[in-house]
Amino acid sequence: MTRSANLGFPRIGARRELKRATEAFWANPRDRSALEHTAADLRAANWATQRDAGVDVVPSNDFSFYDQVLDMTAALGAVPPRFGHAGGPVGIDTYFAMARGTAAAPAMEMTKWFDTNYHYIVPEFHRGQRFEPAGTKAVDEFREAAALGVHTRPVLLGPVTWLRLGKSKEPGFDALELLDDVVAVYGELLARLSDAGADWVQIDEPMLALDLDAAEREAYARAYAALAGTGPAVMLASYFEGLRDNTELAAALPVAGLHVDLIRAPDQLEPVLNAVGRDTVLSLGVVDGRNVWRADLDAALAPVETAVARLGAERVEVAPSCSLLHSPVDLDLETDLDPELKSWMAFAKQKLHEVATLARAAGEGREAVAEQLAAGREAVASRRRSPRIHKPAVAERLAAVTPEDARRASPYEERRAAQRAHLDLPPFPTTTIGSFPQTTEVRQKRAAFRRGDLDRAAYERFLEAATERTVRLQEELGLDVLVHGEFERNDMVEYFGERLDGFAFTRHGWVQSFGSRYVKPPVIFGDVARPAPMTVRWSAYARSLTDKPVKGMLTGPVTILQWSFVRDDVARAEVCRQLALAIRDEVGDLEAAGVRLIQIDEPALREGLPLRRADRDAYLAWAVECFRLASAGVADATQIHTHMCYAEFNDIMPAIAALDADVISIETSRSAMELLDGFVDFEYPNEIGPGVWDIHSPRVPAADEMRRLLEKAVRVLPRERLWVNPDCGLKTRGWPEVEASLAHMVEAARTLRREAAG
Ligand code: GLN
Ligand code: ZN
């Protein structure tokens, strides 16, 4: 029979139970049993959900108190020395200390898990590092499930991926030198799982779908040769990309099964079928684990049937493309969602049913699940023809876009002269990135307005007062370019999504971002259009209050795309172009309202970069085009700003320059301006505001500290092109720090002006 399998289920709970329990434990670490209970309940409920959905292969050890990479780090005893771990089992206090830091030891770094919005804790390596089996989590959870009557397939992160995800501070040291020692401990962990009764394990090696060098390929061969025969049969899981040039390598590894992602890379089916060994079980990821759409079951079944015909039903498994960790939990809770939209969607729980249906269709024939297939077909057809999705005006407008639309009227040097003439800014102009503190009061008023407890007029009066106070404060502090403060915004993407056609919002569609932080991305279900101005009211209001220039504040098309669940019936590039035109309209309206500096934030530009090098230029080309389409419609004298943070940009400098923004502000203060190197090496042509205040920390930097950072910048960049600003928006900071830090920032800029003049 063709089996259905799952690779991982969201651990956060349908109602975010894990968040509440974890944060309660952090607040009161004495009460550990409440957290343990919640965790056990969540695991039990998840196993039952999967079994009841008819999934044959149910995972265990996919649960985590914080992060599955940190779980592997703990299981291998790879605790960095600063946490004072003496060896042996890694307890929960050490575990959370690694994730969150303590007074004595800073937290381990955190970074993005491949191209998802999930963040993992980065393992740390050093020469001569020792490893040992330092935890029983995988075995305990396998036994826990077995006691509940569910025979599971435990999940482990594979050794090569784990090593490659980590970092070493020692120059010239390659973590792969640790491979043999690490693999020896994996061998022991696998043997223990086998002793506990596990007949299969799932080993995740997403790195197998990335560009590998010779050493990494050799590491794969060596690691899996060493593990062969030490424990349960291995289902080796690749996902997020196709195996491509690694297909032969993956197929030749001595493992019992191979999982491939046919959502991201449907074309790999044929090469994989040709390459797999005679007994290998092939797991086909045909249900999208990273999106919210109901699967097209007929389309998903085609590759499964092809594989069954070639390999036999016994050697084929049907699965989601990757762990369902990246999907919201349960669509059934969305009782407020419009029924038609809801009929087009599937969250993790619903995806399990799709997987089970597909496996039955492949094993027993389509007739066995005729009803489910028909229902799915109806939903897919209704989505395809819905007038709510397809708006002819949007398509016509896109078709009429010309290359000129994505080009400013004049080259930068001419624009610069026009902007200088009417902006009349001092050298080293000071500004901020947009938001000012989102205090409890601001959030409470918004919540009251949403509940209907505060009427619109009263809410807007409150926002006006907050905006006015912020404008006055900026005037008093002596900032040169003011902002309105973004008090009307809950979130930089949601605010725009709520004002655009084609977007929907869920109530419970949470996905883990890191630890106890979850996000609820908007859903772009149809053609995007802007029915009315979105921000003009607030920028124009701020402008009416002051003679100083006010900068308008928008989120860019690439960032809106990147932080949403995006429709899967058209290319992402196309959705992005629609977003770009909507933002372009807003830019035009701001300009018409007299707002002559307009910032379009693109903090997520870098994170949309494809995992494979070969795909990157194509992505950057459309991403840059979209930014330009959004921004290029303005007069020479209107100054376009952009802002980026969260990442290193040096590898995409040509693309950043190609945005042709007049001014870019970037996060640089934590790396003490190292990031600027990229801008210097590349001779970035336009103006730059390197962040001089790390807004991620409550610390108030001294004026001298900021002056020194600016002097560093002056040494490498033309001084007449420098701006002075914080690293990012100030919404997470408190007013006292903001006032003090901005005063110091203005002082630092003034000192530099004096030095330059004298
Ligand atoms: N304008 C936004 C703000 O100030 C930018 C946020 C961001 O870059 N993440 O909050
Ligand atoms: Zn930022």
Side-chain angles (χ1 to χ4, degrees), residues 433 603 643-646 727-729:
I433 307 303
H643 165 72
M644 289 179 198
C645 50
Y646 307 132
D727 267 348
C728 191

Side-chain angles (χ1 to χ4, degrees), residues 411-675:
Y412 170 71
E413 290 301 337
E414 283 171 40
R415 290 175 349 233
R416 178 174 159 82
Q419 290 162 20
R420 295 207 129 197
H422 89 110
L423 280 176
D424 190 29
L425 294 170
F428 304 107
T430 52
T431 190
T432 59
I433 307 303
S435 58
F436 271 74
Q438 287 265 332
T439 54
T440 318
E441 192 194 10
V442 174
R443 279 181 274 119
Q444 275 169 354
K445 292 280 190 220
R446 181 154 49 241
F449 169 60
R450 291 197 166 198
R451 273 197 313 272
D453 294 347
L454 188 68
D455 66 31
R456 175 173 295 277
Y459 178 57
E460 297 205 340
R461 271 198 306 278
F462 168 78
L463 293 176
E464 283 182 356
T467 306
E468 173 156 17
R469 267 198 308 277
T470 304
V471 167
R472 296 288 166 254
L473 175 72
Q474 294 172 85
E475 285 178 334
E476 280 158 32
L477 288 168
L479 284 150
D480 301 304
V481 170
L482 313 194
V483 297
H484 72 281
E486 301 184 18
F487 299 105
E488 75 287 4
R489 299 184 194 177
N490 33 2
D491 170 279
M492 66 186 291
V493 171
E494 194 171 44
Y495 180 81
F496 290 90
E498 284 174 343
R499 281 155 187 81
L500 290 168
D501 290 343
F503 278 76
F505 294 85
T506 64
R507 279 182 77 91
H508 304 277
W510 297 97
V511 196
Q512 188 174 23
S513 174
F514 64 90
S516 71
R517 287 279 205 99
Y518 311 158
V519 293
K520 190 158 65 63
V523 177
I524 305 179
F525 67 88
D527 285 344
V528 175
R530 188 199 70 142
M534 306 182 281
T535 65
V536 176
R537 185 202 186 294
W538 297 107
S539 292
Y541 177 68
R543 210 179 83 85
S544 74
L545 300 171
T546 178
D547 296 332
K548 292 261 182 143
V550 168
K551 182 166 66 166
M553 208 50 64
L554 303 173
T555 303
V558 184
T559 297
I560 297 179
L561 183 85
Q562 202 58 35
W563 291 349
S564 300
F565 282 120
V566 183
R567 61 194 283 198
D568 59 355
D569 56 335
V570 293
R572 286 172 75 81
E574 167 124 2
V575 180
C576 201
R577 283 187 194 103
Q578 295 180 0
L579 287 161
L581 289 177
I583 299 296
R584 181 185 179 95
D585 292 344
E586 187 72 12
V587 169
D589 284 345
L590 281 170
E591 186 182 43
V595 180
R596 307 306 292 276
L597 299 92
I598 301 167
Q599 178 174 312
I600 306 175
D601 294 327
E602 284 289 18
L605 184 86
R606 171 72 177 70
E607 72 185 57
L609 209 59
L611 294 170
R612 291 282 198 153
R613 278 188 293 272
D615 304 333
R616 291 185 183 165
D617 286 349
Y619 161 77
L620 288 171
W622 64 253
V624 166
E625 183 209 322
C626 286
F627 180 90
R628 295 176 60 134
L629 200 50
S631 59
V634 294
D636 286 356
T638 299
Q639 190 170 66
I640 296 290
H641 289 228
T642 189
H643 165 72
M644 289 179 198
C645 50
Y646 307 132
E648 294 179 20
F649 308 105
N650 295 355
D651 55 343
I652 58 162
M653 273 317 299
I656 290 179
L659 297 177
D660 200 23
D662 300 303
V663 184
I664 181 172
S665 58
I666 50 165
E667 173 180 330
T668 40
S669 77
R670 258 195 296 190
S671 66
M673 302 272 147
E674 264 167 45
L675 263 183

Side-chain angles (χ1 to χ4, degrees), residues 706-724:
M706 296 199 244
R707 178 184 50 83
R708 273 195 299 275
L709 288 176
L710 283 169
E711 283 167 355
K712 252 178 138 168
V714 167
R715 258 175 258 137
V716 293
L717 289 166
R719 62 180 64 228
E720 64 282 3
R721 302 222 167 161
L722 278 173
W723 284 66
V724 178

Side-chain angles (χ1 to χ4, degrees), residues 328-333 345-355:
V329 182
D330 186 2
L331 183 67
D332 291 343
L333 296 184
M345 294 165 76
F347 290 180
K349 185 174 137 198
Q350 290 69 33
K351 287 171 191 289
L352 297 171
H353 288 273
E354 295 178 334
V355 165

Side-chain angles (χ1 to χ4, degrees), residues 114-181:
F114 299 90
D115 59 354
T116 72
N117 216 341
Y118 177 83
H119 301 71
Y120 70 90
I121 300 291
V122 180
E124 294 176 25
F125 302 127
H126 55 86
R127 281 200 174 81
Q129 191 166 347
R130 304 287 289 268
F131 303 93
E132 60 168 343
T136 53
K137 179 177 181 291
V139 168
D140 293 346
E141 290 179 16
F142 175 80
R143 291 211 169 103
E144 191 179 310
L148 295 167
V150 185
H151 180 79
T152 57
R153 183 170 73 183
V155 186
L156 296 176
L157 179 61
V160 181
T161 295
W162 181 73
L163 283 169
R164 267 300 172 244
L165 290 177
K167 270 193 180 169
S168 168
K169 291 212 171 73
E170 293 177 46
F173 175 60
D174 183 349
L176 286 182
E177 289 171 30
L178 303 170
L179 182 68
D180 294 339
D181 293 345

